Amino acid sequence: MDNFHIETAQNVTIQQNVANLSTRIGAFFIDAFIIGGYYLIIYLILDSLNLISGDLYLIYGLLSLPVFFYSLLFETLMNGQTPGKYFNKIRVVKIDGSKPTFGSFLIRWILRIIDITLASGSIALLTILLNGKGQRLGDLAAGTTVISERKNFSINSTLAVDITVEYKPTFP
């Protein structure tokens, strides 16, 4: 897993882990499943009201607006996460570690059309693999990246460590 370092104004270095590509793809599929469920529920409601016909383009368009703005709305309202990102514990952040602005989310969302929709994700995949900070085109333009919020634990962090007799604990 790639990582990058953020240097704060107090000269503290913070290490951020870039989200794995498989985790990002998993989040995308969770979001796609939610969108599919939304469409299924809308279809069942319209079918039960006998409103399924070819003449209701305006209603279909209005009911598709939440899907069109899905990632923009959720990332803005849920602090950089869609439901798929939330379940996979990943988040969109600025490359300097700060919280992205609405403008950053908007740029990511606009370029998502090119990255993911038009190219079936191949441009996003290629850009993420070539860039060392896990950024797709939308992330590069917005100055953001997707980080993993999972804690990295190993068996060594659970085992008792031998302490020498000369050890003196120090406190800040």
Side-chain angles (χ1 to χ4, degrees):
M1 181 183 324
D2 293 331
N3 56 40
F4 62 97
H5 300 282
I6 300 167
E7 188 73 30
T8 66
Q10 292 80 21
N11 291 326
V12 175
T13 303
I14 300 172
Q15 179 179 333
Q16 294 285 355
N17 292 325
V18 175
N20 288 333
L21 189 59
S22 60
T23 307
R24 290 179 75 161
I25 292 171
F28 175 80
F29 283 126
I30 290 171
D31 290 333
F33 181 75
I34 291 169
I35 290 170
Y38 170 78
Y39 274 133
L40 179 65
I41 290 169
I42 293 301
Y43 175 80
L44 293 174
I45 291 171
L46 292 177
D47 189 38
S48 67
L49 297 173
N50 293 324
L51 293 176
I52 303 286
S53 70
D55 300 334
L56 301 173
Y57 295 117
L58 181 62
I59 291 175
Y60 298 149
L62 288 175
L63 293 174
S64 294
L65 281 178
V67 172
F68 185 67
F69 293 109
Y70 179 86
S71 63
L72 179 64
L73 287 172
F74 276 112
E75 286 179 356
T76 302
L77 298 175
M78 290 179 57
N79 195 21
Q81 293 178 310
T82 61
K85 288 183 177 94
Y86 175 79
F87 289 124
N88 283 317
K89 295 186 181 353
I90 58 178
R91 173 183 312 277
V92 177
V93 295
K94 294 286 274 183
I95 204 73
D96 64 358
S98 63
K99 182 180 176 183
T101 61
F102 178 76
S104 300
F105 292 130
L106 184 64
I107 291 170
R108 289 184 86 247
W109 176 75
I110 290 170
L111 289 175
R112 180 184 178 96
I113 296 168
I114 297 169
D115 268 356
I116 297 170
T117 307
L118 293 179
S120 301
S122 61
I123 293 176
L125 181 69
L126 185 64
T127 309
I128 290 170
L129 290 175
L130 293 177
N131 184 309
K133 295 181 181 173
Q135 297 172 297
R136 61 179 180 84
L137 286 180
D139 289 321
L140 288 170
T144 59
T145 189
V146 180
I147 62 165
S148 174
E149 294 183 323
R150 292 187 181 195
K151 305 283 189 243
N152 292 333
F153 293 108
S154 67
I155 193 69
N156 293 335
S157 44
T158 61
L159 297 176
V161 179
D162 292 331
I163 299 174
T164 62
V165 177
E166 297 86 27
Y167 176 75
K168 260 188 165 172
T170 56
F171 302 98

PDB file of all heavy atoms in Angstrom, residues 2 22 31 45-46 51 78 91 96 110 118 128 134 139 170:
ATOM      1  N   ASP A   2       0.646   2.145  -0.933  1.00  0.00           N
ATOM      2  CA  ASP A   2       1.409   3.376  -0.999  1.00  0.00           C
ATOM      3  C   ASP A   2       0.993   4.297   0.131  1.00  0.00           C
ATOM      4  O   ASP A   2      -0.101   4.222   0.654  1.00  0.00           O
ATOM      5  CB  ASP A   2       1.156   4.080  -2.339  1.00  0.00           C
ATOM      6  CG  ASP A   2       1.708   3.285  -3.510  1.00  0.00           C
ATOM      7  OD1 ASP A   2       2.679   2.560  -3.305  1.00  0.00           O
ATOM      8  OD2 ASP A   2       1.162   3.411  -4.619  1.00  0.00           O
ATOM      9  N   SER A  22      -8.215  -2.194  -4.998  1.00  0.00           N
ATOM     10  CA  SER A  22      -9.307  -3.163  -4.820  1.00  0.00           C
ATOM     11  C   SER A  22     -10.362  -2.638  -3.855  1.00  0.00           C
ATOM     12  O   SER A  22     -11.560  -2.875  -4.040  1.00  0.00           O
ATOM     13  CB  SER A  22      -8.751  -4.496  -4.319  1.00  0.00           C
ATOM     14  OG  SER A  22      -8.089  -4.316  -3.082  1.00  0.00           O
ATOM     15  N   ASP A  31     -21.659   1.110  -4.089  1.00  0.00           N
ATOM     16  CA  ASP A  31     -22.465   2.253  -4.523  1.00  0.00           C
ATOM     17  C   ASP A  31     -23.344   1.887  -5.719  1.00  0.00           C
ATOM     18  O   ASP A  31     -24.507   2.295  -5.790  1.00  0.00           O
ATOM     19  CB  ASP A  31     -21.566   3.439  -4.862  1.00  0.00           C
ATOM     20  CG  ASP A  31     -20.907   4.048  -3.635  1.00  0.00           C
ATOM     21  OD1 ASP A  31     -21.487   3.926  -2.531  1.00  0.00           O
ATOM     22  OD2 ASP A  31     -19.830   4.640  -3.776  1.00  0.00           O
ATOM     23  N   ILE A  45     -42.505   0.982  -7.591  1.00  0.00           N
ATOM     24  CA  ILE A  45     -43.505   1.982  -7.218  1.00  0.00           C
ATOM     25  C   ILE A  45     -44.254   2.480  -8.448  1.00  0.00           C
ATOM     26  O   ILE A  45     -45.490   2.562  -8.449  1.00  0.00           O
ATOM     27  CB  ILE A  45     -42.841   3.160  -6.456  1.00  0.00           C
ATOM     28  CG1 ILE A  45     -42.368   2.700  -5.082  1.00  0.00           C
ATOM     29  CG2 ILE A  45     -43.805   4.344  -6.327  1.00  0.00           C
ATOM     30  CD1 ILE A  45     -41.519   3.718  -4.350  1.00  0.00           C
ATOM     31  N   LEU A  46     -43.516   2.809  -9.510  1.00  0.00           N
ATOM     32  CA  LEU A  46     -44.174   3.280 -10.731  1.00  0.00           C
ATOM     33  C   LEU A  46     -45.044   2.194 -11.356  1.00  0.00           C
ATOM     34  O   LEU A  46     -46.117   2.482 -11.895  1.00  0.00           O
ATOM     35  CB  LEU A  46     -43.131   3.776 -11.737  1.00  0.00           C
ATOM     36  CG  LEU A  46     -42.382   5.047 -11.373  1.00  0.00           C
ATOM     37  CD1 LEU A  46     -41.333   5.374 -12.415  1.00  0.00           C
ATOM     38  CD2 LEU A  46     -43.342   6.211 -11.198  1.00  0.00           C
ATOM     39  N   LEU A  51     -47.755   3.669 -13.884  1.00  0.00           N
ATOM     40  CA  LEU A  51     -47.153   4.838 -14.529  1.00  0.00           C
ATOM     41  C   LEU A  51     -46.000   4.465 -15.455  1.00  0.00           C
ATOM     42  O   LEU A  51     -45.256   5.333 -15.880  1.00  0.00           O
ATOM     43  CB  LEU A  51     -46.657   5.830 -13.473  1.00  0.00           C
ATOM     44  CG  LEU A  51     -47.725   6.506 -12.634  1.00  0.00           C
ATOM     45  CD1 LEU A  51     -47.079   7.372 -11.567  1.00  0.00           C
ATOM     46  CD2 LEU A  51     -48.660   7.338 -13.495  1.00  0.00           C
ATOM     47  N   MET A  78     -21.285  13.704   3.616  1.00  0.00           N
ATOM     48  CA  MET A  78     -20.746  12.687   4.520  1.00  0.00           C
ATOM     49  C   MET A  78     -19.223  12.809   4.695  1.00  0.00           C
ATOM     50  O   MET A  78     -18.543  11.811   4.892  1.00  0.00           O
ATOM     51  CB  MET A  78     -21.103  11.284   4.027  1.00  0.00           C
ATOM     52  CG  MET A  78     -22.566  10.941   4.157  1.00  0.00           C
ATOM     53  SD  MET A  78     -22.973   9.292   3.550  1.00  0.00           S
ATOM     54  CE  MET A  78     -21.914   8.232   4.501  1.00  0.00           C
ATOM     55  N   ARG A  91     -11.778   7.462   2.498  1.00  0.00           N
ATOM     56  CA  ARG A  91     -12.293   8.834   2.504  1.00  0.00           C
ATOM     57  C   ARG A  91     -11.501   9.694   1.523  1.00  0.00           C
ATOM     58  O   ARG A  91     -10.311   9.490   1.335  1.00  0.00           O
ATOM     59  CB  ARG A  91     -12.172   9.404   3.909  1.00  0.00           C
ATOM     60  CG  ARG A  91     -12.497  10.851   4.079  1.00  0.00           C
ATOM     61  CD  ARG A  91     -12.290  11.357   5.499  1.00  0.00           C
ATOM     62  NE  ARG A  91     -12.864  10.509   6.514  1.00  0.00           N
ATOM     63  CZ  ARG A  91     -14.147  10.541   6.892  1.00  0.00           C
ATOM     64  NH1 ARG A  91     -14.975  11.365   6.312  1.00  0.00           N
ATOM     65  NH2 ARG A  91     -14.583   9.737   7.838  1.00  0.00           N
ATOM     66  N   ASP A  96      -2.967  17.783   1.066  1.00  0.00           N
ATOM     67  CA  ASP A  96      -2.264  18.309   2.234  1.00  0.00           C
ATOM     68  C   ASP A  96      -2.890  17.827   3.541  1.00  0.00           C
ATOM     69  O   ASP A  96      -2.473  18.242   4.613  1.00  0.00           O
ATOM     70  CB  ASP A  96      -2.201  19.836   2.198  1.00  0.00           C
ATOM     71  CG  ASP A  96      -3.568  20.495   2.291  1.00  0.00           C
ATOM     72  OD1 ASP A  96      -4.597  19.787   2.350  1.00  0.00           O
ATOM     73  OD2 ASP A  96      -3.612  21.745   2.292  1.00  0.00           O
ATOM     74  N   ILE A 110     -17.238  16.237 -11.792  1.00  0.00           N
ATOM     75  CA  ILE A 110     -17.282  16.564 -13.225  1.00  0.00           C
ATOM     76  C   ILE A 110     -16.327  15.654 -13.998  1.00  0.00           C
ATOM     77  O   ILE A 110     -16.687  15.101 -15.046  1.00  0.00           O
ATOM     78  CB  ILE A 110     -16.948  18.053 -13.457  1.00  0.00           C
ATOM     79  CG1 ILE A 110     -18.100  18.929 -12.948  1.00  0.00           C
ATOM     80  CG2 ILE A 110     -16.685  18.333 -14.929  1.00  0.00           C
ATOM     81  CD1 ILE A 110     -17.777  20.414 -12.905  1.00  0.00           C
ATOM     82  N   LEU A 118     -17.404   7.499 -19.125  1.00  0.00           N
ATOM     83  CA  LEU A 118     -17.149   7.366 -20.559  1.00  0.00           C
ATOM     84  C   LEU A 118     -16.119   6.284 -20.888  1.00  0.00           C
ATOM     85  O   LEU A 118     -16.246   5.589 -21.889  1.00  0.00           O
ATOM     86  CB  LEU A 118     -16.692   8.702 -21.144  1.00  0.00           C
ATOM     87  CG  LEU A 118     -17.736   9.816 -21.163  1.00  0.00           C
ATOM     88  CD1 LEU A 118     -17.133  11.090 -21.737  1.00  0.00           C
ATOM     89  CD2 LEU A 118     -18.953   9.400 -21.961  1.00  0.00           C
ATOM     90  N   ILE A 128      -4.564   5.878 -11.573  1.00  0.00           N
ATOM     91  CA  ILE A 128      -4.280   5.486 -10.191  1.00  0.00           C
ATOM     92  C   ILE A 128      -3.028   4.618 -10.128  1.00  0.00           C
ATOM     93  O   ILE A 128      -2.194   4.765  -9.235  1.00  0.00           O
ATOM     94  CB  ILE A 128      -5.492   4.759  -9.571  1.00  0.00           C
ATOM     95  CG1 ILE A 128      -6.637   5.746  -9.347  1.00  0.00           C
ATOM     96  CG2 ILE A 128      -5.120   4.092  -8.255  1.00  0.00           C
ATOM     97  CD1 ILE A 128      -7.950   5.095  -8.977  1.00  0.00           C
ATOM     98  N   GLY A 134      -2.257   7.525  -5.557  1.00  0.00           N
ATOM     99  CA  GLY A 134      -3.588   6.949  -5.709  1.00  0.00           C
ATOM    100  C   GLY A 134      -4.613   7.921  -6.247  1.00  0.00           C
ATOM    101  O   GLY A 134      -5.763   7.889  -5.838  1.00  0.00           O
ATOM    102  N   ASP A 139      -9.040  13.533  -9.088  1.00  0.00           N
ATOM    103  CA  ASP A 139      -8.250  13.825  -7.889  1.00  0.00           C
ATOM    104  C   ASP A 139      -7.070  14.746  -8.214  1.00  0.00           C
ATOM    105  O   ASP A 139      -6.753  15.654  -7.446  1.00  0.00           O
ATOM    106  CB  ASP A 139      -7.726  12.542  -7.256  1.00  0.00           C
ATOM    107  CG  ASP A 139      -8.815  11.720  -6.603  1.00  0.00           C
ATOM    108  OD1 ASP A 139      -9.709  12.319  -5.980  1.00  0.00           O
ATOM    109  OD2 ASP A 139      -8.770  10.492  -6.717  1.00  0.00           O
ATOM    110  N   THR A 170      10.154   8.042  29.504  1.00  0.00           N
ATOM    111  CA  THR A 170      10.191   9.506  29.440  1.00  0.00           C
ATOM    112  C   THR A 170       8.815   9.997  29.054  1.00  0.00           C
ATOM    113  O   THR A 170       8.078   9.334  28.308  1.00  0.00           O
ATOM    114  CB  THR A 170      11.218   9.980  28.397  1.00  0.00           C
ATOM    115  OG1 THR A 170      10.893   9.398  27.143  1.00  0.00           O
ATOM    116  CG2 THR A 170      12.627   9.596  28.788  1.00  0.00           C
TER     117      THR A 170
END
